[in-house]
Amino acid sequence: MTDTISSGGMAKWFLSEHEVYVNGEVDQRRGRKLRHGDIVNIPGVGRFQLVGPKNGD
């Protein structure tokens, strides 16, 4: 966990200002549940693959 975006309000603002791709599709859901293997791409920021429990726990 990076604590880069620390609140829902900050996430809402970030998503309104930046395109965020999850598994290749634009996604602006603030409460989206990310799972093991998901790839998050934020152009100009970076591309990240989530690593964690495979069963979603």
Side-chain angles (χ1 to χ4, degrees):
M1 178 176 251
T2 65
D3 292 325
T4 303
I5 296 178
S6 59
S7 71
M10 185 180 283
K12 184 176 181 179
W13 168 83
F14 188 88
L15 290 169
S16 73
E17 297 291 321
H18 300 87
E19 284 192 337
V20 175
Y21 296 83
V22 179
N23 300 325
E25 297 181 10
V26 174
D27 195 326
Q28 295 198 324
R29 292 180 284 174
R30 184 171 52 92
R32 172 160 185 164
K33 185 157 193 124
L34 298 172
R35 302 190 188 287
H36 173 82
D38 283 348
I39 296 174
V40 178
N41 182 21
I42 306 168
V45 176
R47 187 170 187 248
F48 311 91
Q49 183 170 18
L50 277 67
V51 178
K54 291 182 182 181
N55 63 3
D57 293 334

